[in-house]
Amino acid sequence: MTEQNAFVPLLLDWFAAKKRDLPWRNTYDPYAVWVSEIMAQQTQMDRVVSYFNRFMELFPGIAELAAAPEDAVLKAWEGLGYYSRARNLHAAAKRIMAEHGGVFPGSFPTIRALPGIGDYTAGAIASIAFGRDAVAVDANVLRVLARVRDIDVPVKEPAGKARVMEIAQALLPTGRAREYNEALMEFGALVCRPKNPDCPCCPVATACQARHLGIVADRPVLSKAKDIIPLEVATGVLLQAGRLFIQKRLPKGAWANLWEFPGGRIEPGETPQAAVVREFIEETAFTTEVATKLAVIRHGYTTFRVTLHCFLLRLAGGRNDGELPVPALTAAQQSLWVRPEELGGYAFPAGHRKLIDQLADSLWL
Ligand code: SF4
């Protein structure tokens, strides 16, 4: 056996000894594998565990998930971000009920055809839940194989990704895809980490080309970083007769179907205070005035960095008659006047949820 061919046995031995005890590893149930794989995309594993356990309690199977209102699914997802993942899970559960009799399909192409499932997730489910010889190449696997096999092109671009797929496929030990895929991902998360890989204690170091060549720091080759766009946004919490105004976003576009406080981008030359008053008129036809500034919240997304200027608003013209006026909505599908303690029952984007957490300590509520 050459040193290169030694890589997989060394990896599998390490995985057998060191794998973490994660809740979905106690089962090969396709539903549990699917939910865990979708949650783990773009999210740290320690955060995934608590969300996963709660999600499985709320929606223990495909039928329960399919039958749940979308609001309940989004609420269970609140804080994980990338809400299209939750919407696609929900849509796929409905499709499995309608087209597969409620039974998770077992072939790669049928899994791949479900909403929100790409090559990686289809490979993970096909191998882990159904024991099929499919590869599952995520960011961990791209990085590990770029180092072990010294791939000198950016692995997140099509040519580099194709090379990693080819190598992953060639290395796959027949009949052991489940362990192999899980081991590669776990190894990338725990040992061959993006920063500070643990090369001195690495169980596969003898089979690693980048280590032999002394170029670990140069692998994987990175794509050119995308520019992060700064966005200045103003939002307003309108208080009237002890209730707060919230609205549900439209069913398409960013944060579709989540709840929010109205607001929007601050125009060039505009103050945040002026922006929030303007946005309220445009989105609800309410004329408001700023009572006080509540917070400035910063939140990073993949391609944006949002600075959210948050204000407490009241209706202009001294309307303190206890009436809850009806808005003319232009940027939302529904609105509500809710008591502050009811805000926890609705799913909000991360920036607004941070604001709500801060509001809990406010004296005026
Ligand atoms: S030696 Fe270092 S770079 Fe190579 S596989 Fe091990 S941890 Fe990764």
Side-chain angles (χ1 to χ4, degrees), residues 62-261:
I62 295 168
E64 289 84 357
L65 177 58
E70 190 185 74
D71 273 353
V73 179
L74 292 175
K75 182 64 192 164
W77 206 267
E78 190 186 28
L80 275 177
Y82 301 99
Y83 288 87
S84 60
R85 295 182 296 170
R87 281 187 286 272
N88 281 329
L89 264 179
H90 195 214
K94 288 181 176 175
R95 189 179 300 174
I96 294 169
M97 293 306 292
E99 297 178 9
H100 303 285
V103 178
F104 206 99
S107 76
F108 182 95
T110 328
I111 300 171
R112 177 71 176 78
L114 293 169
I117 294 191
D119 287 338
Y120 161 74
T121 309
I125 298 170
S127 61
I128 297 169
F130 296 100
R132 302 202 188 282
D133 279 337
V135 294
V137 174
D138 71 348
N140 283 314
V141 180
L142 287 173
R143 179 175 65 259
V144 169
L145 293 183
R147 287 171 176 165
V148 171
R149 284 301 182 91
D150 181 29
I151 295 174
D152 58 3
V153 292
V155 287
K156 293 202 171 162
E157 289 175 21
K161 198 165 182 180
R163 268 176 71 184
V164 173
M165 290 288 284
E166 232 173 74
I167 292 168
Q169 194 72 55
L171 291 174
L172 193 154
T174 308
R176 299 185 72 186
R178 175 184 289 148
E179 296 157 81
Y180 169 73
N181 286 330
E182 285 197 310
L184 272 174
M185 291 182 244
E186 188 82 330
F187 180 71
L190 298 183
V191 180
C192 197
R193 300 175 294 249
K195 287 181 188 154
N196 303 320
D198 193 6
C199 300
C201 300
C202 174
V204 306
T206 53
C208 176
Q209 289 185 2
R211 177 102 195 269
H212 284 308
L213 297 169
I215 54 168
V216 171
D218 300 324
R219 298 290 177 268
V221 176
L222 300 176
S223 310
K224 190 177 169 295
K226 285 193 183 132
D227 292 336
I228 301 289
I229 302 163
L231 283 183
E232 294 284 325
V233 176
T235 192
V237 180
L238 175 59
L239 176 66
Q240 168 74 356
R243 307 278 181 131
L244 307 177
F245 182 81
I246 61 174
Q247 62 181 16
K248 189 174 187 181
R249 292 176 68 90
L250 296 171
K252 293 258 182 269
W255 302 296
N257 291 336
L258 293 185
W259 291 84
E260 66 173 7
F261 303 108

